[in-house]
Amino acid sequence: MPVIELRSLVKHYRNVHALQGVSITVEKGEIYSLLGKNGAGKTTIVKILLSIVRATSGEAILLGRPAGHVESRRKVGYLPEDHRFPDYHTGWSALDYYAALSGVSGAERRSRIPEMLRLVGIEESGRRKIRTYSKGMKQRLGLAQAMIHEPDVLFLDEPTDGVDPVGRKQIRDVLVHLKSQGKTIFLNSHLLSEVELISDRVGILELGKLRREGTVAEMTVEKDIYELRLEGAFDALMPEIARRVRGVRRIAGGVEVDVENAEKLNALVDYLRANRVALVGMTRKRQSLEDVFIQEVGVAGQGA
Amino acid sequence: MKLVALFKDSILQTLDCKSLYVSVALGALFVLVCASISYSPMDEREAIQGMVEQFDRVMIVRTRPPGGRTFEGVTWTVSDVRKGSGDFEGGYEFKLAVSNLREFHDLVRFWRGVEQGKITGSDDPVPEGEVDEAGEIKFLRGKFRERVIMKTRIERGEASEDKRVFDVAIRAASPERLEGMYQAHFFFGAFSWPLGVADQKLSVAQFMLVMQLVLSQYVAGMVGILFGVIFTASFIPTMLQKGCIDVLLARPISRTTLLLSKYAGGLIYGAISGGVLVGGSWLVLSLRSGVWNWGYLASLGTLILFFAVLYSIGALTAVMTRSTIASMIVPVGAWGLGFGVTWVKQTGTQPLSPFQLPSSISTALEALSWFLPRASDINVMNQWFMICGSMGPGVEEITSEMGLPEVAWIRILLSSGALIVATLGLASFVFSRRDY
Ligand SMILES: Nc1ncnc2c1ncn2[C@@H]1O[C@H](COP(=O)(O)OP(=O)(O)O)[C@@H](O)[C@H]1O
Ligand SMILES: [Mg+2]
């Protein structure tokens, strides 16, 4: 039974068509990442699953129950983007509050809270008021509140936002650790490089539509990209090069080409040689997820 | 457990804001001022003399407005005052001399006429009839009873052409119920005041009644509730803040529960701070005076009911606007509006008021007032509680004369309850349907 199931999800906010029929299935134990520019609809998907907003049409099922059912949220943790905690709380009392709301008993809370604070690396600040926390500390506290009740599913919306590089690495480690415990993780991000390292599957969302979906491997091996370092007047040959390959891009000191197979690549090299353009170097480039993302969405995601 | 957590959250929030300490300090100061009031007995002869001197006035309470008539020619002289003994332990025994017999008997006849319902205005003629010894004694007994002195023994001693001397023994339910018997000291004795205004002497019990009416109606009922509305106004808007509400809504708790428990948190907060204010002042006032008026304590219930009405309006405002300021202003505005509407309606339908409302408008105002907090209902209930609570044992028979306010309990409780249910219902309906 899938942990998360979206079927033709549609959401209209007054006149904004935020989601236009999105279907996604996430199995237990997977890390699924949703990539997309700001405004693509990532947050809306998560909010519908948690019944923070209501879908216009379509179905959203979480842990076997329709989203919106109180019980469907019992084993779910959520780190919202731009979250805030009431600043009269200390880190400790906030975790105590949220854990109690998720039904964690008092005794368990007392043992889990220090554990959590340590895990996210803010144990020394646990007794301080949240209003004295830096953005990074608040983000870590946010992660802690999402995990305090040992949920089976975690929704993390831009979890590394505002966190320094060391912190990002720590968060990534936490996620890998959670995955090893069999938790399902649903990640929203525009930080492609981060997602690429830990995701099992990735969906690319644009303007409320799922443009592509697959494992990182599937998405990145599909195309062979070669970087050719050339010497000679190859600019004049660009139209002919473009005709012979699937894709070409002028780079400093050469071209980047996307060819179907080695045979075509050899033919291209022969053609260049015949036109007195010398090949002085060649690298095979595995396409990064970012390349796929840029290709799909057209422009690099902001802040990436 | 979840409800406890939500309430704890509200408490943390109020502890965090410095103004709570201000209000607690104000409340404590207020209780201290109450505790600073003490009483000491006056000269007993003078006090009893002051009381009987008022026997020459006959009140006619059945007329509207109430009137009365004074028979000033009678002179009253108290002498030989002793502490009571036996049945009158805790009371007094004394001799009461009454002179100017003609006018005394007119007074007795007039008083009897009022008692029998034959006299309805202060200008009515004094009725004819004999006044014998029994009649004189009955009059005196009645006059003591008007002052809530239920236990009396009156015997006529020496009787001459123009003078009567009575041997009197009296015992009130407690000494604090004897008019003019005590003086009050304020601010730990900084200044003293023999209880009474002009020649109208007050017993400690009466003074306490007046004071507690003022306290419940103005201090707790206006200032206290205003503070309560202000301090609790931020509870729901803070919960609804962008970024905060997401974290909460993702928890396994329904939105209605979330809203209602925050509402309940505000109520408990109001009840606790009101309890400290009213309960604290009730305790120290009672300890100091020896008069335990449960009615003042009971008025806490009506105050909480009224606060519950106001706070439900605040909760609806909070859900609609997410603004703390609006959640302060709207309930207070509704309170003021309710007060204004009731006042205009009442004034405009009284015979001698400066303006008169056509009946259609007064009906419309009456209807409108049902959708608003009705402070007048609360005051009437408080008065009822406090007058009832101020009566000692064995005083029930004269309750009709004391003029207990009429209270439409069912109507008030139902209408307040309906207003709360409707407002909260709408608030939770809106809250449940919102996208955050
Ligand atoms: N509460 C809302 N009211 C109106 N429009 C909204 C609301 N929330 C999001 N939107 C719009 O829906 C679209 C998708 O937003 P969102 O799901 O937040 O995207 P993402 O998380 O991918 O940045 C955006 O155009 C955004 O402006
Ligand atoms: Mg977003």
Side-chain angles (χ1 to χ4, degrees):
Chain A
M1 187 184 64
V3 169
I4 297 168
E5 211 175 341
L6 304 178
R7 288 194 214 115
S8 321
L9 207 56
V10 173
K11 174 66 188 178
H12 297 169
Y13 293 106
R14 287 194 189 91
N15 46 16
V16 180
H17 294 194
L19 296 178
Q20 312 181 32
V22 175
S23 302
I24 294 174
T25 304
V26 180
E27 298 293 336
K28 181 171 162 30
E30 264 191 310
I31 298 189
Y32 186 95
S33 293
L34 207 51
L35 282 175
K37 288 192 295 177
N38 286 342
K42 307 181 295 292
T43 299
T44 301
I45 287 180
V46 171
K47 284 188 170 179
I48 288 173
L49 278 163
L50 295 168
S51 80
I52 296 168
V53 307
R54 296 177 350 142
T56 306
S57 70
E59 255 185 301
I61 291 165
L62 179 57
L63 290 167
R65 288 200 173 88
H69 196 287
V70 170
E71 284 304 308
S72 73
R73 297 195 294 270
R74 185 165 302 283
K75 298 303 264 171
V76 170
Y78 175 41
L79 172 66
E81 65 178 337
D82 303 326
H83 60 272
R84 253 168 68 187
F85 299 110
D87 58 9
Y88 47 83
H89 274 292
T90 62
W92 184 292
S93 70
L95 289 184
D96 190 60
Y97 174 42
Y98 293 123
L101 289 185
S102 286
V104 181
S105 75
E108 268 182 282
R109 296 203 297 271
R110 272 187 294 281
S111 74
R112 259 190 233 169
I113 291 171
E115 227 173 81
M116 260 321 139
L117 290 170
R118 198 163 41 245
L119 183 66
V120 298
I122 51 170
E123 65 264 51
E124 313 89 45
S125 320
R127 294 289 184 182
R128 265 171 39 203
K129 285 266 165 79
I130 293 175
R131 67 167 66 94
T132 68
Y133 283 22
S134 69
K135 182 139 200 300
M137 288 162 76
K138 285 182 193 164
Q139 192 69 10
R140 286 154 188 255
L141 181 63
L143 199 59
Q145 65 77 29
M147 301 186 297
I148 186 75
H149 51 298
E150 301 193 325
D152 294 337
V153 191
L154 271 158
F155 290 95
L156 307 175
D157 203 346
E158 317 279 4
T160 51
D161 232 22
V163 183
D164 56 53
V166 178
R168 287 181 184 187
K169 168 84 171 79
Q170 283 176 340
I171 289 177
R172 228 158 40 221
D173 292 345
V174 170
L175 296 187
V176 171
H177 170 69
L178 290 172
K179 180 181 158 66
S180 74
Q181 296 181 331
K183 317 252 173 198
T184 311
I185 300 174
F186 193 101
L187 210 63
N188 279 352
S189 186
H190 54 246
L191 287 171
L192 311 153
S193 47
E194 310 269 322
V195 164
E196 192 171 16
L197 291 170
I198 54 168
S199 302
D200 297 313
R201 280 195 307 136
V202 178
I204 294 178
L205 196 67
E206 195 205 357
L207 294 174
K209 288 195 182 114
L210 196 63
R211 290 287 295 264
R212 264 182 93 177
E213 196 185 32
T215 64
V216 175
E218 276 167 12
M219 284 216 190
T220 52
V221 295
E222 232 172 76
K223 294 171 180 180
D224 280 336
I225 302 236
Y226 294 87
E227 204 180 281
L228 308 181
R229 310 238 146 248
L230 304 173
E231 264 171 16
F234 59 90
D235 275 333
L237 307 179
M238 285 305 275
E240 178 57 20
I241 299 174
R243 208 185 52 75
R244 287 166 172 266
V245 296
R246 267 198 312 220
V248 63
R249 197 153 70 95
R250 177 82 163 82
I251 56 172
V255 290
E256 210 179 75
V257 290
D258 170 11
V259 291
E260 276 108 351
N261 49 43
E263 219 172 295
K264 292 237 165 140
L265 181 65
N266 280 316
L268 177 65
V269 173
D270 291 344
Y271 166 75
L272 289 170
R273 283 227 202 89
N275 289 281
R276 275 187 302 259
V277 172
L279 178 70
V280 294
M282 180 169 88
T283 341
R284 179 172 177 180
K285 244 179 82 180
R286 195 185 152 90
Q287 193 180 24
S288 77
L289 193 53
E290 180 154 9
D291 299 324
V292 177
F293 180 56
I294 291 167
Q295 250 173 39
E296 289 300 330
V297 176
V299 198
Q302 288 96 316
Chain B
M1 183 174 67
K2 292 176 189 174
L3 301 188
V4 173
L6 284 160
F7 179 57
K8 227 165 91 184
D9 175 61
S10 304
I11 291 295
L12 276 180
Q13 181 173 5
T14 51
L15 287 179
D16 184 67
C17 82
K18 299 287 171 285
S19 48
L20 179 73
Y21 298 107
V22 176
S23 88
V24 166
L26 282 177
L29 195 68
F30 175 76
V31 171
L32 188 70
V33 168
C34 290
S36 82
I37 305 174
S38 61
Y39 305 89
S40 63
M42 302 275 285
D43 179 88
E44 289 158 355
R45 200 204 69 83
E46 264 179 44
I48 296 173
Q49 175 75 36
M51 173 169 64
V52 297
E53 270 175 8
Q54 291 168 40
F55 283 9
D56 61 3
R57 183 160 179 80
V58 179
M59 292 297 295
I60 309 170
V61 290
R62 290 190 181 81
T63 57
R64 292 258 159 227
R69 183 142 144 203
T70 308
F71 294 77
E72 279 170 355
V74 188
T75 54
W76 316 79
T77 316
V78 171
S79 60
D80 277 359
V81 176
R82 285 151 288 140
K83 292 262 183 260
S85 59
D87 275 355
F88 292 88
E89 186 76 51
Y92 296 94
E93 292 176 26
F94 54 90
K95 282 193 192 309
L96 170 61
V98 183
S99 50
N100 192 350
L101 212 55
R102 249 177 64 90
E103 184 137 6
F104 177 53
H105 282 174
D106 276 352
L107 167 62
V108 173
R109 279 194 289 265
F110 191 80
W111 176 83
R112 201 156 60 190
V114 172
E115 288 289 289
Q116 291 165 352
K118 289 180 190 151
I119 289 174
T120 52
S122 52
D123 297 333
D124 288 6
V126 175
E128 297 295 315
E130 270 302 298
V131 177
D132 56 7
E133 180 176 345
E136 290 169 359
I137 290 176
K138 190 165 180 233
F139 164 79
L140 290 175
R141 211 182 281 284
K143 278 297 180 184
F144 282 117
R145 280 176 43 160
E146 281 175 18
R147 281 156 185 77
V148 206
I149 298 170
M150 305 308 291
K151 190 155 177 58
T152 50
R153 186 191 65 215
I154 303 171
E155 285 157 10
R156 196 166 83 175
E158 175 197 333
S160 69
E161 271 301 295
D162 197 38
K163 191 174 175 189
R164 295 278 187 269
V165 178
F166 299 91
D167 283 308
V168 183
I170 56 172
R171 204 194 76 196
S174 65
E176 293 78 18
R177 293 183 179 278
L178 283 176
E179 286 170 18
M181 198 53 87
Y182 282 82
Q183 58 180 339
H185 308 281
F186 297 89
F187 301 110
F188 300 105
F191 73 95
S192 303
W193 180 50
L195 296 175
V197 178
D199 61 353
Q200 175 65 57
K201 299 286 177 250
L202 293 177
S203 68
V204 172
Q206 288 164 338
F207 173 64
M208 291 283 290
L209 175 61
V210 172
M211 191 157 67
Q212 291 178 341
L213 278 172
V214 170
L215 292 186
S216 80
Q217 187 156 341
Y218 297 102
V219 178
M222 288 178 93
V223 182
I225 287 194
L226 196 65
F227 268 95
V229 169
I230 290 172
F231 282 134
T232 52
S234 65
F235 283 13
I236 296 173
T238 306
M239 176 180 84
L240 297 178
Q241 268 176 49
K242 263 200 166 13
C244 284
I245 186 66
D246 308 69
V247 183
L248 277 182
L249 292 181
R251 303 280 157 191
I253 184 165
S254 82
R255 292 192 186 191
T256 304
T257 313
L258 212 52
L259 183 70
L260 291 187
S261 48
K262 270 283 163 188
Y263 173 78
L267 275 199
I268 294 173
Y269 172 80
I272 289 176
S273 42
V276 168
L277 186 75
V278 175
S281 57
W282 175 77
L283 193 67
V284 296
L285 286 174
S286 305
L287 281 173
R288 285 295 217 159
S289 66
V291 178
W292 296 80
N293 186 345
W294 58 263
Y296 179 52
L297 202 56
S299 74
L300 183 60
T302 59
L303 294 177
I304 293 172
L305 176 68
F306 189 59
F307 178 69
V309 171
L310 291 182
Y311 196 48
S312 69
I313 296 173
L316 177 60
T317 313
V319 168
M320 305 297 277
T321 66
R322 293 199 196 187
S323 151
T324 298
I325 300 291
S327 310
M328 287 179 195
I329 292 173
V330 174
V332 174
W335 181 6
L337 192 64
F339 182 82
V341 166
T342 312
W343 184 84
V344 168
K345 194 239 151 191
Q346 272 176 1
T347 313
T349 47
Q350 261 164 20
L352 293 172
S353 73
F355 61 94
Q356 293 295 320
L357 292 175
S359 70
S360 60
I361 292 191
S362 83
T363 310
L365 288 179
E366 173 73 14
L368 176 61
S369 77
W370 293 107
F371 294 94
L372 293 165
R374 290 166 58 106
S376 54
D377 284 351
I378 298 301
N379 288 339
V380 157
M381 287 203 288
N382 280 351
Q383 282 163 15
W384 189 92
F385 277 134
M386 261 170 286
I387 292 174
C388 273
S390 76
M391 289 172 185
V395 198
E396 294 80 5
E397 48 193 294
I398 57 157
T399 51
S400 57
E401 284 177 42
M402 299 277 293
L404 263 186
E406 276 182 27
V407 184
W409 295 100
I410 308 264
R411 175 182 71 60
I412 293 178
L413 294 179
L414 280 185
S415 66
S416 306
L419 190 56
I420 292 174
V421 168
T423 315
L424 282 184
L426 182 60
S428 94
F429 178 82
V430 172
F431 182 45
S432 299
R433 251 138 260 266
R434 277 264 156 103
D435 287 344
Y436 284 97

